Amino acid sequence: MECLHSRTRQLLGACVALNTASTYRTAVCSFNNFRLQYGFPVDYPGRADHFVMYISYCFEMGFSPSTIRSYISGLSFYHKLHNWFDPLELFVVKKLLEGYSRSRRRVDNRAPVTPQILHSICTLLPSICYNDYEAILFKAAYLLAYFGLLRVSEVVHSTWQHHGRALLLDDIKFDHSYAVVVAIRQSKTCQMGEPTYLRIPCEADSNMCPVCSLKKYLAVRPSTQGYFFKHKNDKPLTRAQFSAVLAKCISSSPYKGANLLSHSFRIGRASELASKGVPDEAIMKLGRWRSAAYNTYIRM
């Protein structure tokens, strides 16, 4: 019997992504701490009036609308898991969350990586990186992130989350010399099921072509399996390194001071496609957006 209970716990633990499970645990701790702070009993199921006051408390603490929605979703998950009432189904909670979003709209001030900025970054890499191999590695990663509209977690290894998303050697195939086909096994919007395949064609400028850059990288990459992007010592290129070298390039460029982060590659490519008149449906498909939320990425 104990082995069945153990298997049940294992399966329930695997039903959500690691970072989602971490967020849900944080939500429960936050809700408990709020009740302790105000002298409310820390028992479950939570009371409806406590959820109402908790949302107001989060607003006063400066939490973003997306954070509080994630926290309430976590508390909802915890309640439903124990066959208790769902706080997200409470009318007052729904309306409070709507009011929260309307009252605290946040502007995404991340700047886009434009083609000019991308060229500047790639030009600076040989002077930023400590050897030619590293410069080739980072250039291939940056060009792929840009032209593939990829999230950084889909490109390189994250030490604390998204362990199964980073590209592996077998995820990259070449369609002769004309394009690279990238298999996205997991993503933010697709954590299970069949992988998504992206076909990224060559660019006219061979110096800024993702296909040429990836081939040049593969010619010097260690001949081992595992993560696609890795250093000469066979250790994976990490998310922190991806961002740190980008920051060094920006600080040494004419674009110093611009809010250019790892997600700026995705924002920049979406904006470039929109400026060229590419239809919304095509951009959504290329970037694997499921809703018009991609509009918040467009900088014109």
Side-chain angles (χ1 to χ4, degrees):
M1 184 65 74
E2 178 55 34
C3 67
L4 294 180
H5 287 304
S6 176
R7 181 64 68 190
T8 299
R9 290 191 294 271
Q10 178 190 1
L11 293 174
L12 286 173
C15 72
V16 295
L18 288 174
N19 60 311
T20 302
S22 176
T23 300
Y24 286 179
R25 286 193 296 270
T26 301
V28 173
C29 289
S30 175
F31 185 55
N32 290 346
N33 289 336
F34 153 74
R35 292 189 291 178
L36 284 171
Q37 182 177 336
Y38 284 88
F40 299 140
V42 183
D43 52 13
Y44 285 92
R47 284 173 40 179
D49 59 328
H50 289 176
F51 286 112
V52 168
M53 287 183 281
Y54 175 64
I55 293 172
S56 297
Y57 165 81
C58 289
F59 188 89
E60 294 300 319
M61 294 296 292
F63 292 5
S64 70
S66 61
T67 297
I68 185 57
R69 283 192 174 275
S70 295
Y71 281 12
I72 296 299
S73 293
L75 291 166
S76 169
F77 177 85
Y78 185 71
H79 276 65
K80 289 189 290 185
L81 199 62
H82 291 83
N83 292 317
W84 299 329
F85 78 96
D86 181 2
L88 266 177
E89 291 301 314
L90 295 173
F91 179 82
V92 65
V93 167
K94 291 180 179 179
K95 292 306 173 184
L96 280 170
L97 292 176
E98 289 179 15
Y100 202 119
S101 296
R102 291 176 181 271
S103 301
R104 179 165 288 153
R105 293 185 182 276
R106 289 200 171 184
V107 177
D108 186 349
N109 60 359
R110 291 174 295 186
V113 167
T114 64
Q116 294 76 22
I117 294 175
L118 183 63
H119 185 274
S120 179
I121 291 170
C122 292
T123 301
L124 285 166
L125 281 172
S127 62
I128 297 294
C129 298
Y130 60 84
N131 62 37
D132 290 342
Y133 178 88
E134 291 291 301
I136 292 170
L137 166 67
F138 280 95
K139 181 177 180 179
Y142 290 160
L143 289 178
L144 182 61
Y146 180 82
F147 287 103
L149 288 98
L150 295 171
R151 303 174 180 90
V152 65
S153 62
E154 298 167 345
V155 180
V156 297
H157 172 67
S158 295
T159 56
W160 58 279
Q161 64 176 354
H162 310 316
H163 297 283
R165 295 186 189 176
L167 287 173
L168 303 178
L169 181 62
D170 291 339
D171 294 332
I172 302 290
K173 306 293 182 184
F174 291 95
D175 182 359
H176 301 292
S177 297
Y178 311 113
V180 61
V181 179
V182 182
I184 306 297
R185 290 171 289 101
Q186 288 187 23
S187 69
K188 181 179 179 180
T189 55
C190 182
Q191 298 185 19
M192 298 180 65
E194 293 296 319
T196 299
Y197 293 94
L198 308 178
R199 186 178 185 276
I200 305 171
C202 286
E203 290 293 308
D205 181 358
S206 61
N207 190 48
M208 297 299 292
C209 173
V211 179
C212 296
S213 184
L214 287 169
K215 286 187 174 182
K216 185 175 181 180
Y217 164 66
L218 277 173
V220 296
R221 179 189 180 277
S223 57
T224 53
Q225 294 296 313
Y227 291 110
F228 181 75
F229 288 113
K230 56 174 58 180
H231 301 285
K232 199 71 172 178
N233 62 5
D234 213 40
K235 291 184 178 180
L237 172 60
T238 68
R239 183 186 190 124
Q241 293 163 348
F242 183 100
S243 298
V245 171
L246 173 62
K248 289 181 180 179
C249 288
I250 298 304
S251 66
S252 301
S253 76
Y255 309 99
K256 182 178 181 179
N259 190 26
L260 291 157
L261 305 173
S262 59
H263 215 60
S264 294
F265 292 102
R266 183 168 164 85
I267 295 170
R269 181 58 170 169
S271 299
E272 184 194 8
L273 293 173
S275 70
K276 290 181 176 179
V278 175
D280 291 353
E281 295 79 9
I283 298 176
M284 289 176 65
K285 183 176 180 180
L286 290 168
R288 291 155 292 123
W289 281 288
R290 291 182 175 179
S291 70
Y294 87 94
N295 281 309
T296 62
Y297 285 65
I298 306 301
R299 314 284 195 269
M300 302 293 283

